[in-house]
Amino acid sequence: MTATHPPLRDGHGSRALVAVLVDELVRSGVTDAVTSPGSRNTPLLLALAANPGLRTHAVVDERTAGFVALGIAKASGRPVILCCTSGSAVAQYLPAVVEAHHARLPLVLLTADRPAELRDVGAGQTIDQLGPFRSVLRWQHEVAVDTADAATVRYARTLAARALHAAAGGGSTGAGAVHLNLPLREPLVAPDGASDPGVAPADALVAPRDGGRAWVTRTGAGGRPDDDAVRLLGSLLATRPRAVFVAGRHEEEPQLGPALSALCELLAVPLLADPLSGARRGRAAVAHYDGLLAAGAAPGAPELVVRVGDLPTSKPLRAWLAGLPADVPQVHVSADGAWQDPDGVLSDVVVAAPLAVLEQLAPRLAHAPRDPAWLADWTEADGRVAAAQASVLDDATDDDAPTEPWLARELTSLLPPAATLLVAASMPVRDVEAFMAPRDAVRVLSNRGANGIDGTVATAWGLTLGRVPGDGDVLVMLGDVALQHDVGSLLAAGRAGADLTVVLVDNDGGGIFHFLPVGASIGPDVERLVMTPTGLDVPAIVAAAGGTLHEVGTRGGLVPALRAAAAHRGLSVLHVRTDRTENRALHRRLTDAVAAALSAPPAPAGSTPAAE
């Protein structure tokens, strides 16, 4: 379980993280390390020597050491660690790494390096250590080793798993060498001759898995799930009825959302589904998890977390998952096995098509134990959050101006069946995640691969061109900064006759920055350089694109504008003006209302219907 110990910094933190990295490599099956002497790699050498599960072999010359490790890998079939100091010593590994590449043999290079401030300034034994191997490696990573805290200890353990997965071939390229480059700061050893505590300080920050288990275990090779993957998930779900499913963006299997919703209803477990997953639907859906978890009011700790798709955007959800005890299994079902774990909390990765996994799980779990009160607690809390938000958002008349959270809630509820809504990857995607109610028969998408806002209009235009029979209208919701980035695409789409409805949230600048630390004090420089008011002449832009403009100045104007846009074949732009400062204040009122609702005693069953 994560403990509240102070972080270790500089050399102390480096030595602790090095010990964690070595410990996790050994837990994951490494048995041999071939080392060469040096000063900068002293923390590595001591950690390797101190681990009782590892055989260390000292070889003075690094070129020879590389081939010795190659021989051990040939004989054992297991990955072998190579460890050296900084500078030209690293380059001596190149011949063995080339051979490992072509012979498909697993090696793990742990090379010590100078920290950034000692590079390119004439410091001794300092070269570009990432360059020599690039074309013959399976993976390479510069390791962050300055500070040991709960997050970086999880990172180091996950890093070991990722390195060994890549060294084994990662399921596609065959085995080979991986390179972990560690920039180590002094002191390189414990001061004043004290004995180095090894992995103990890191274990005090985050305990390792019980029973010597690896931090992360991967099962499956993609496509149809193998028996081990289904058996693992089936066993966990059958013995842990207080589970939680978390669904994120997954665009490859449109039927996954309904299947996931049905499985959660079958098991009576809550489904925390990002709208991008297509799974925010059904009786198990907990739509307002962002506000619920931001208030610190999760209805108890889960016994199991099963994630499907990408990690949702919500920071409160991510923080809650990262704060769960290490003995709570967190399993990610991933079609391609991509590493989607920035907080390093996953215990298992099942590499298989999620829909196929669910189809095989459902019949096996038809008679699994259930805890209906577990789901009821979550849905009751979800209803209280929705009601609290509605009390704030609906405290207005049809003649009042729209607000951004209200717009996200209303627009997603008004989408016609089979419609597609593309949401810009800034405040709009966060508002949709926080305020969209459960519903089916619509598709919500966003460019959340790299999370940029450029190209949003062009992507929406592409969605109109890629429609197949049965697909409905295409809408895009974006802010004025995203439009400024892609105004050329709006002009081109309009002149090409694109059948597209654009919902423009115009708060004259980067509203998202009001919710970041920089937004705490808005002075002239922050307003000019960060908030960047756009001052867009929206009527002129729409006219130049040959589109139809609908000014939505009141709440009552939204539905007529959407109907007019749906009836018009071509480009329509709904222009909704909002105020950045008022939006931040509104979010504060929403937070306060949710906190008050969740701190009050629950209403008697049946006394107040949950808000939709």
Side-chain angles (χ1 to χ4, degrees):
M1 183 172 180
T2 302
T4 56
H5 291 270
L8 305 171
R9 304 190 186 280
D10 299 323
H12 304 289
S14 296
R15 296 196 303 276
L17 288 178
V18 164
V20 168
L21 181 63
V22 170
D23 178 67
E24 194 59 37
L25 289 170
V26 174
R27 283 170 171 262
S28 300
V30 176
T31 59
D32 290 87
V34 181
T35 68
S36 295
S39 172
R40 188 61 55 168
N41 63 332
T42 299
L44 284 162
L45 295 174
L46 295 178
L48 293 168
N51 194 295
L54 195 64
R55 295 190 298 253
T56 54
H57 315 278
V59 178
V60 172
D61 176 68
E62 287 84 4
R63 184 180 183 279
T64 301
F67 283 99
V68 170
L70 201 73
I72 298 173
K74 276 181 179 288
S76 68
R78 292 188 294 270
V80 179
I81 293 171
L82 272 169
C83 174
C84 72
T85 192
S86 65
S88 59
V90 177
Q92 299 300 312
Y93 284 155
L94 182 58
V97 171
V98 168
E99 177 62 19
H101 168 68
H102 289 283
R104 297 176 298 283
L105 291 169
L107 299 177
V108 179
L109 278 60
L110 302 181
T111 60
D113 201 351
R114 259 55 174 179
E117 66 271 15
L118 294 181
R119 299 179 188 177
D120 297 320
V121 293
Q125 290 184 242
T126 308
I127 67 169
D128 175 7
Q129 297 187 182
L130 299 177
F133 308 121
R134 280 197 177 99
S135 64
V136 287
L137 289 173
R138 296 299 179 265
W139 190 56
Q140 183 169 233
H141 184 75
E142 174 116 330
V143 184
V145 288
D146 269 357
T147 301
D149 57 20
T152 57
V153 169
R154 294 194 302 265
Y155 153 76
R157 292 200 179 277
T158 302
L159 182 64
R162 186 168 187 178
L164 291 176
H165 173 67
S172 59
T173 57
V178 297
H179 179 203
L180 301 180
N181 193 57
L182 294 92
L184 300 171
R185 283 193 175 85
E186 296 181 350
L188 300 172
V189 296
D192 301 324
S195 61
D196 201 299
V199 77
D203 286 354
L205 293 163
V206 177
R209 304 285 187 210
D210 293 337
R213 290 184 300 118
W215 190 254
V216 186
T217 302
R218 293 174 70 93
T219 307
R224 297 292 300 179
D226 59 27
D227 289 341
D228 288 342
V230 177
R231 191 160 39 246
L232 167 70
L233 274 171
S235 173
L236 289 171
L237 287 166
T239 56
R240 292 169 169 81
R242 293 167 68 88
V244 167
F245 275 73
V246 176
R249 183 183 71 92
H250 182 82
E251 299 167 358
E252 297 85 356
E253 298 176 310
Q255 294 306 310
L256 179 62
L260 188 53
S261 174
L263 180 65
C264 290
E265 290 182 13
L266 172 71
L267 298 175
V269 297
L271 172 57
L272 282 55
D274 186 327
L276 306 182
S277 69
R280 185 173 286 190
R281 60 177 75 206
R283 297 187 302 275
V286 176
H288 304 89
Y289 56 79
D290 186 80
L292 176 64
L293 297 176
E303 300 170 323
L304 168 69
V305 174
V306 180
R307 280 182 39 205
V308 179
D310 291 357
L311 194 61
T313 302
S314 168
K315 279 190 175 181
L317 173 59
R318 293 180 179 219
W320 180 69
L321 293 173
L324 293 175
D327 59 358
V328 174
Q330 297 199 43
V331 184
H332 183 205
V333 182
S334 170
D336 55 12
W339 291 89
Q340 285 276 331
D341 187 24
D343 292 303
V345 295
L346 289 178
S347 60
D348 298 271
V349 178
V350 173
V351 186
L355 182 58
V357 173
L358 299 188
E359 289 172 345
Q360 293 194 32
L361 277 177
R364 294 176 181 232
L365 296 170
H367 303 292
R370 290 159 177 73
D371 183 356
W374 173 244
L375 175 58
D377 288 345
W378 279 89
T379 54
E380 189 274 336
D382 185 54
R384 295 172 77 182
V385 174
Q389 291 175 345
S391 70
V392 176
L393 296 179
D394 296 337
D395 186 18
T397 69
D398 281 353
D399 294 328
D400 288 320
T403 62
E404 294 179 29
W406 178 88
L407 180 63
R409 188 192 66 179
E410 293 301 299
L411 178 62
T412 52
S413 71
L414 293 168
L415 291 172
T420 295
L421 174 66
L422 179 71
V423 188
S426 188
M427 276 307 294
V429 76
R430 289 167 172 81
D431 282 343
V432 167
E433 183 177 16
F435 301 107
M436 178 181 173
R439 65 164 301 183
D440 53 16
V442 297
R443 181 171 59 160
V444 181
L445 304 174
S446 184
N447 286 339
R448 295 298 292 174
N451 303 341
I453 61 172
D454 50 327
T456 303
V457 174
T459 302
W461 181 13
L463 288 170
T464 69
L465 299 176
R467 278 185 291 198
V468 298
D471 287 348
D473 296 340
V474 176
L475 299 88
V476 56
M477 180 183 184
L478 76 169
D480 54 293
V481 176
L483 177 61
Q484 179 165 301
H485 275 280
D486 209 23
V487 69
S489 296
L490 187 75
L491 297 175
R495 292 170 183 174
D499 184 13
L500 176 65
T501 297
V502 178
V503 180
L504 174 62
V505 184
D506 183 0
N507 56 29
D508 195 28
I512 191 171
F513 296 111
H514 284 269
F515 299 91
L516 302 177
V518 70
S521 57
I522 307 298
D525 290 338
V526 172
E527 176 69 14
R528 180 173 63 90
L529 299 175
V530 180
M531 305 303 170
T532 55
T534 59
L536 293 180
D537 187 342
V538 174
I541 293 171
V542 176
T548 301
L549 178 67
H550 303 275
E551 292 284 358
V552 182
T554 66
R555 295 179 176 218
L558 178 61
V559 169
L562 286 171
R563 286 175 177 164
H568 172 69
R569 298 296 91 183
L571 177 67
S572 296
V573 178
L574 278 62
H575 187 201
V576 185
R577 296 182 186 272
T578 62
D579 182 88
R580 283 187 274 120
T581 302
E582 168 55 27
N583 186 46
R584 186 182 185 193
L586 173 61
H587 274 265
R588 288 199 188 106
R589 294 198 298 275
L590 286 164
T591 298
D592 291 344
V594 168
L598 292 172
S599 63
S607 62
T608 304
E612 293 295 329

